[in-house]
Amino acid sequence: MAPMPPAAGETAERLRGIGFFCLALLLFAFLDTSAKYASRHVPVMEVVFFRYAGAMVLCLLAFRPWRNHARFLTARPIRQLLRSAFLLGSTVLNFLALRKLQLAETTTISFAGAFVVAGLAVPLLGEWIGPRRWIAILVGFAGVVVVTRPGPAGLQPAVLLSIGSMLCNSFYSILTRSLAPTDSAEGLLLFPLVTSTIAVAPFALPGFVWPDEPLIGLLLLAVGFLGAIGHWCYILAYRHAPASTLAPFAYSQLLWMVGLGFLVFDDVPHATTLLGAAIIIASGLYILYREHVHGGR
């Protein structure tokens, strides 16, 4: 018997969720573009500081946690600190990689995070996955190999930085999933912003470089704004639509990255990047299909 189609109200909710999700990905694309451009003029750690400090200020003004501080407390502070450390590590490594790699390359490598999360969910979250999904995960990693183009001299350092960023983000996602049942969405958003701002300040502020042109100053302010609004749209998306509905749209970020890379940096994606992206996307969509139809077997 075929499943019943969603009601009109449910369809509208899902479309709203998809809209928030795509908007979040667009904002993240502008964030990476701004960070890549700004890091050519100021130190990377300074860009990272503005990324977190700017977002922290916006979230503090929006949430006003002093009015109901209990909502922002966590019963598992060590796990929250570890989650924040992985997010900060992902940002630092990504911004360093962006100085050498195209936007399309770092984005394609980041897609492999879905396979890492799927694999880590077995030992860390107790989620069982079947052999066909394991095969899809291996095929997805083959796509990453195509993108990174390892040669006789080995992987270039920037690619290793991007892979490290992807791995850090994967652990961040796992920890977020484990904390989501007990911590509020606002707390999950604000906690890493505060801790990361405090952690980065000693490395960014002593050697602060004043932007050499107004555009760079605007971009430094923009990375915080884009990060805060993007993550909030990301949270709203999952409030309006299930993860299985949103997941296929994650790959639309590659379109934004290719377009912005070409318009801002005159970057034309390598053929191997596009081939690897196609392999990764096909593997990811197959995993989603197995999850939806066969429960991941």
Side-chain angles (χ1 to χ4, degrees):
M1 183 176 179
M4 294 291 292
E10 184 180 350
T11 299
E13 278 290 288
R14 292 188 178 190
L15 289 175
R16 193 173 291 112
I18 292 170
F20 277 122
F21 191 67
C22 291
L23 177 58
L25 297 178
L26 177 60
L27 293 173
F28 292 151
F30 277 110
L31 190 161
D32 278 3
T33 304
S34 300
K36 180 178 174 68
Y37 194 95
S39 65
R40 294 179 170 182
H41 299 261
V42 298
V44 168
M45 295 305 292
E46 188 172 322
V47 182
V48 174
F49 175 78
F50 275 94
R51 155 72 180 91
Y52 285 104
M56 179 189 69
V57 171
L58 282 177
C59 288
L60 287 174
L61 293 175
F63 298 152
R64 290 174 286 186
W66 51 87
R67 291 191 171 187
N68 183 16
H69 67 277
R71 183 169 178 77
F72 296 86
L73 298 178
T74 177
R76 294 178 283 183
I78 300 301
R79 189 170 298 189
Q80 272 282 24
L81 284 171
L82 188 59
R83 170 178 172 268
S84 301
F86 278 123
L87 179 61
L88 177 59
S90 176
T91 302
V92 172
L93 293 173
N94 181 48
F95 285 3
L96 287 171
L98 281 171
R99 299 180 70 183
K100 299 294 183 180
L101 299 180
Q102 295 183 1
L103 291 169
E105 290 176 308
T106 59
T107 303
T108 302
I109 292 171
S110 73
F111 288 159
F115 307 119
V116 175
V117 171
L120 291 176
V122 178
L124 299 181
L125 299 177
E127 297 178 1
W128 183 87
I129 60 177
R132 294 185 182 181
R133 285 187 67 184
W134 277 116
I135 293 173
I137 288 172
L138 293 176
V139 172
F141 280 117
V144 176
V145 173
V146 172
V147 175
T148 56
R149 304 185 299 277
L155 297 175
Q156 60 171 304
V159 168
L160 294 176
L161 291 171
S162 188
I163 292 174
S165 174
M166 177 268 293
L167 292 174
C168 284
N169 192 63
S170 300
F171 281 103
Y172 163 78
S173 298
I174 287 286
L175 290 170
T176 300
R177 285 167 62 174
S178 70
L179 287 164
T182 58
D183 290 32
S184 68
E186 293 83 356
L188 288 171
L189 178 58
L190 187 58
F191 193 97
L193 297 180
V194 174
T195 54
S196 296
T197 300
I198 295 172
V200 173
F203 300 95
L205 298 183
F208 184 84
V209 176
W210 193 259
D212 54 5
E213 55 183 279
L215 174 61
I216 305 304
L218 290 175
L219 291 178
L220 290 175
L221 295 176
V223 292
F225 175 83
L226 292 167
I229 304 301
H231 277 288
W232 187 241
C233 288
Y234 198 80
I235 291 171
L236 290 177
Y238 281 96
R239 287 183 176 178
H240 291 285
S244 59
T245 299
L246 299 175
F249 292 91
Y251 298 114
S252 66
Q253 189 175 16
L254 183 61
L255 299 177
W256 303 126
M257 290 298 202
V258 170
L260 288 170
F262 178 75
L263 291 174
V264 179
F265 305 107
D266 294 324
D267 287 338
V268 177
H270 302 289
T272 51
T273 300
L274 298 178
L275 175 60
I279 294 172
I280 293 170
I281 291 172
S283 302
L285 292 177
Y286 177 77
I287 288 177
L288 291 172
Y289 165 77
R290 296 294 303 181
E291 181 68 28
H292 179 70
V293 178
H294 301 286
R297 295 189 298 275

